[in-house]
Amino acid sequence: QVQLVESGGGLVQPGGSLRLSCAASGSMFSLNDMGWYRQAPGKERELVAGILRSGITNYENSVKGRFTISRDNAKDTVYLQMNSLKPEDTAVYFCYARIIVTATPYWGRGTQVTVSS
């Protein structure tokens, strides 16, 4: 059973920074694709950023230049460095991981990020 444990959410002022972490455990196979989705109240869950084991990344347009995704393959851990945060970044951030990009992902429980003055 694959488990994803997130940490690093919280309350931050606009313009501030947060770093999210997500550690995976229990997988018998390499988790090729890892990343983050987010869901704001009343909105659908959307992809924020993903990263392949090779290091290839993709980002949602609104976070490009502000967020950086990275991973430690040896630890099966993915990180999301979020800078220049805006109120519209407020959401629950969910870590995901999957063996291949077309597979059903495993999900973390989510961590709340609130950007407010």
Side-chain angles (χ1 to χ4, degrees), residues 18-93:
L18 283 175
R19 189 188 192 215
L20 306 183
S21 299
C22 172
S25 62
S27 178
M28 294 180 61
F29 303 98
S30 296
L31 296 168
N32 187 44
D33 182 23
M34 298 183 74
W36 300 89
Y37 276 71
R38 67 185 178 187
Q39 188 167 19
K43 294 188 177 181
E44 293 187 356
R45 193 175 294 192
E46 65 175 359
L47 176 67
V48 178
I51 183 168
L52 299 181
R53 200 169 183 84
S54 63
I56 296 173
T57 60
N58 67 296
Y59 294 92
E60 195 272 327
N61 283 337
S62 70
V63 308
K64 287 180 180 178
R66 300 189 296 123
F67 292 9
T68 302
I69 190 169
S70 60
R71 64 185 289 170
D72 183 333
N73 291 333
K75 297 181 179 179
D76 270 342
T77 298
V78 63
Y79 307 95
L80 187 67
Q81 178 67 43
M82 304 185 293
N83 298 328
S84 302
L85 282 160
K86 303 176 181 180
E88 51 263 44
D89 295 317
T90 296
V92 178
Y93 283 69

